[in-house]
Amino acid sequence: MTPSCEQPGEKKQITLLFGACGRQAATYQSLGKLGLPRTFSTPVAPQRPAVNLLCSHCVASLWMLPSSSPTSLLYPRSPPPGVTGWEPGRFLPHQALGMEVTMVPGKGPSFPEPLREERDLQRLRDPTTVASELGYVFQAITLTRQRLAGRVPLIGFAGAPWTLMTYMVEGGGSSTMAQAKRWLYQRPQASHQLLRILTDALVPYLVGQVAAGAQALQLFESHAGHLGPQLFSKFALPYIRDVAKRVKAGLQEAGLAPVPMIIFAKDGHFALEELAQAGYEVVGLDWTVAPEKARDCVGKTVTLQGNLDPCALYASEEEIGQLVQQMLNDFGPRRYIANLGHGLYPDMDPEHVGAFVDAVHKHSRLLRQN
């Protein structure tokens, strides 16, 4: 049963929301999926916001979940009181599969016992049990949706199979992904087995997020750039497609309304055309991709999301406004969601994040008036 996420007397008066952009900011079809009103400014969804960097009038994303409490709540620009231990939600499927993940200050996620040999796959739990292992995540999503009270939509997310695999094999972050790519070349069958396991785990995880209250889903293939076109087509793209297909089927089977799905493959510029045909309503772009070339690749029926360089937020607020104006002009008003080309950094000034959002409001409205 789908949890009740609406509060009595809930008001849905928001100025920015997620949706595939049309002349007035979003296609009616996608807005209908979210059950939210239309807006006259370009939607904006800052990627991976730290909880204290969430800005008002943004799409809320449940990027972080408390490690010991199901009461994770995201608020504009201020952390929820009493929440201390936070862990990246990207690694929750790993934990549900039985792998230990620790967060090392200054280093990031660490896997004390990475996968080194093919036989190590036997250590992993049955992927069909993931949903039952992550009940606290779904409870947190429902509570977050309730407390947001319709002010902004809530996006669920997960890492894509190849990206999840890299951490399991590398034992953490890597500049080369040499160990993970060694698996692809030396153990192709085992690599496909692992990728299938991760796909089997992701599908109920994402369906469960929608059942709990997520109004859109984003899949991150953050390490796409470590694969060339051939390896990407063989070891990443098939599973990206499978996730979209099976999640949509799972939602239908569960009696849940479909939600927009976003695919973001960092440095995957060589596969934009394929990603546009992978079953997702939105293709996210990093800052290295020219908007005009991206549009030529994906066509006119797919929404683009992106792609301001995150480091642009270190600039003055005036310059941020100028950069946003240029970005909006390059993408145009149709089928577009304003976003950064990757995640926010912890040392970024929240006021500059707010300046980014305000600039999207201002310049997108002017663009439509003209």
Side-chain angles (χ1 to χ4, degrees):
M1 178 180 295
T2 304
S4 175
C5 297
E6 304 293 325
Q7 290 293 317
E10 177 179 20
K11 295 182 179 180
K12 296 180 178 178
Q13 298 179 349
I14 59 177
T15 53
L16 290 175
L17 49 89
F18 170 85
C21 297
R23 183 176 297 274
Q24 293 185 347
T27 60
Y28 299 148
Q29 180 182 12
S30 290
L31 294 181
K33 290 177 181 178
L34 290 177
L36 293 166
R38 301 164 188 160
T39 177
F40 289 85
S41 59
T42 296
V44 58
Q47 296 225 47
R48 200 192 307 168
V51 68
N52 64 333
L53 287 179
L54 268 177
C55 45
S56 57
H57 307 304
C58 293
V59 176
S61 303
L62 196 60
W63 300 111
M64 300 291 198
L65 290 169
S67 57
S68 59
S69 169
T71 57
S72 167
L73 302 173
L74 301 186
Y75 290 94
R77 297 197 188 183
S78 61
V83 175
T84 52
W86 294 72
E87 61 186 358
R90 171 189 316 207
F91 305 106
L92 292 171
H94 291 126
Q95 294 172 320
L97 288 172
M99 294 198 72
E100 180 184 356
V101 186
T102 59
M103 297 302 297
V104 180
K107 180 180 178 182
S110 176
F111 291 68
E113 297 184 22
L115 304 179
R116 293 303 186 201
E117 303 292 339
E118 185 172 347
R119 62 176 179 269
D120 290 338
L121 296 179
Q122 299 175 8
R123 294 171 13 210
L124 302 179
R125 294 174 184 158
D126 183 347
T128 61
T129 66
V130 165
S132 60
E133 292 285 338
L134 297 177
Y136 72 95
V137 178
F138 305 136
Q139 185 180 358
I141 291 173
T142 299
L143 290 171
T144 301
R145 174 77 182 278
Q146 290 174 341
R147 296 299 293 270
L148 286 172
R151 295 190 300 275
V152 289
L154 181 63
I155 298 181
F157 84 106
W162 158 246
T163 291
L164 296 180
M165 173 182 169
T166 62
Y167 287 101
M168 299 171 81
V169 175
E170 296 285 345
S174 168
S175 61
T176 63
M177 300 299 164
Q179 295 303 316
K181 291 180 69 175
R182 177 184 296 211
W183 269 59
L184 303 185
Y185 284 110
Q186 294 185 351
R187 304 183 180 96
Q189 292 184 341
S191 295
H192 280 299
Q193 181 183 353
L194 176 54
L195 291 165
R196 284 193 295 269
I197 290 172
L198 288 166
T199 301
D200 290 344
L202 283 172
V203 171
Y205 179 48
L206 290 169
V207 171
Q209 290 187 49
V210 176
Q215 295 161 283
L217 296 172
Q218 181 156 336
L219 194 71
F220 284 83
E221 194 67 279
S222 301
H223 298 160
H226 290 279
L227 302 175
Q230 291 184 341
L231 286 180
F232 186 85
S233 295
K234 186 176 182 180
F235 291 103
L237 187 60
Y239 301 99
I240 288 172
R241 288 173 174 156
D242 201 28
V243 168
K245 179 180 178 180
R246 291 174 59 186
V247 166
K248 292 182 177 183
L251 292 175
Q252 184 176 13
E253 183 179 346
L256 298 168
V259 300
M261 294 186 68
I262 313 164
I263 178 63
F264 175 73
K266 187 176 182 297
D267 297 321
H269 51 84
F270 52 81
L272 286 179
E273 185 175 353
E274 291 82 359
L275 289 169
Q277 300 171 9
Y280 296 78
E281 286 71 35
V282 183
V283 174
L285 305 174
D286 62 55
W287 68 95
T288 66
V289 182
E292 299 88 349
K293 292 183 179 179
R295 178 54 68 192
D296 289 341
C297 286
V298 307
K300 297 180 180 180
T301 61
V302 175
T303 296
L304 291 174
Q305 175 177 279
N307 69 337
L308 189 70
D309 182 352
C311 289
L313 297 189
Y314 291 126
S316 67
E317 293 188 15
E318 180 181 1
E319 186 175 358
I320 290 171
Q322 295 170 353
L323 293 170
V324 167
Q325 182 178 17
Q326 183 62 55
M327 178 179 71
L328 294 177
N329 289 338
D330 291 343
F331 278 102
R334 294 180 176 85
R335 294 196 175 278
Y336 171 59
I337 301 168
N339 204 331
L340 301 176
H342 200 228
L344 297 169
Y345 303 135
D347 63 344
M348 285 180 168
D349 186 343
E351 294 303 319
H352 285 213
V353 182
F356 166 71
V357 177
D358 292 340
V360 172
H361 276 284
K362 174 183 175 181
H363 295 297
S364 62
R365 286 169 177 157
L366 291 174
L367 184 63
R368 286 182 176 80
Q369 290 173 4
N370 296 330

